[in-house]
Amino acid sequence: MGAFTPTLFVVSGPSGAGKGTLVEQVRSLRPDLGLTVSATTREPRPGETDGVSYHFMSADAFQRMVDEGGFVEWAHVHGHCYGTPVSEVEKNLVSGRSLILEIDVQGALQVKEKYPDAVLVFIKPPSLDVLEQRLRGRGTETEESVALRLANAREELKLADRYDAVIVNDDLACAVKELLSTLECYERK
Ligand code: 5GP
């Protein structure tokens, strides 16, 4: 096993594939991982806190930050803008921490262009039917939003082969183990 190299990981996959829960569990087992908070123009959901879940911004404020080069990457996702502030990534890299960016596929490919050593990990749902059940089960999405997220999922799944690793999130505990070993494998290669 090689020496530890702080690594920038990008985790993405369709909305409802379970990335959020998976990354949250991996973070609790790897408290050394750096945290980043993305910016978005969408409205907060119940229980979400500004500055913790996201930096919630108006479309104007978001555009100003784009113009000032304040994002490593940004993308339109499900009708809203999402972006990773440069400051959030740099603060971790300068302190020698590995970090996980949990972002959509368009953003992931932009990160790889800027940081060629970044490792892209794709989280797949076991099937599109399971994905649909999970999205409906959340109870937070409108019918229109479920349809949009499913259509986007079909497109995103086509890009899985551009990723360095693919994890199928069927059983959460297995997926957690797999993501943990993927991180370690790249950090110590
Ligand atoms: P949600 O609205 O459900 O929180 O997130 C919707 C989508 O936006 C997810 O697929 C999530 O990965 C993506 N997303 C969250 N933050 C960012 C970001 O900073 N950049 C990009 N490109 N996508 C993001």
Side-chain angles (χ1 to χ4, degrees):
M1 214 190 258
F4 176 82
T5 306
T7 308
L8 172 57
F9 293 97
V10 179
V11 168
S12 43
S15 172
K19 305 180 294 285
T21 315
L22 179 54
V23 170
E24 194 180 303
Q25 294 213 1
V26 164
R27 285 212 171 102
S28 70
L29 295 162
R30 284 282 313 266
D32 59 302
L33 290 173
L35 286 175
T36 60
V37 180
S38 294
T40 182
T41 59
R42 82 153 161 76
E43 293 296 314
R45 295 191 186 116
E48 288 185 330
T49 310
D50 186 34
V52 179
S53 320
Y54 284 103
H55 297 290
F56 294 100
M57 292 188 174
S58 66
D60 282 352
F62 194 96
Q63 187 57 49
R64 268 199 303 281
M65 224 167 124
V66 171
D67 295 342
E68 289 162 2
F71 291 115
V72 173
E73 59 74 38
W74 70 275
H76 291 283
V77 189
H78 315 315
H80 297 284
C81 296
Y82 292 81
T84 308
V86 173
S87 55
E88 295 278 335
V89 172
E90 289 301 323
K91 78 178 180 200
N92 284 295
L93 292 180
V94 298
S95 64
R97 286 173 186 270
S98 286
L99 73 155
I100 301 180
L101 299 182
E102 194 197 322
I103 59 179
D104 85 301
V105 291
Q106 310 162 67
L109 300 174
Q110 292 174 47
V111 172
K112 189 80 174 182
E113 270 175 30
K114 288 202 183 128
Y115 296 90
D117 292 339
V119 176
L120 308 189
V121 184
F122 193 92
I123 310 300
K124 261 189 180 175
S127 68
L128 281 169
D129 283 348
V130 170
L131 188 69
E132 184 168 353
Q133 285 164 25
R134 287 183 188 168
L135 285 171
R136 290 189 196 288
R138 272 184 185 181
T140 53
E141 310 304 330
T142 60
E143 203 46 45
E144 198 189 352
S145 162
V146 169
L148 184 61
R149 281 163 194 257
L150 280 174
N152 287 341
R154 286 196 182 88
E155 293 307 309
E156 289 173 3
L157 285 163
K158 292 181 190 158
L159 294 173
D161 60 1
R162 311 258 305 259
Y163 280 63
D164 300 295
V166 177
I167 295 175
V168 178
N169 186 11
D170 190 356
D171 175 77
L172 180 62
C174 290
V176 167
K177 269 192 207 152
E178 214 175 317
L179 182 52
L180 281 171
S181 59
T182 303
L183 301 186
E184 198 167 295
C185 166
Y186 283 97
E187 287 170 333
R188 298 192 180 274
K189 88 173 169 204

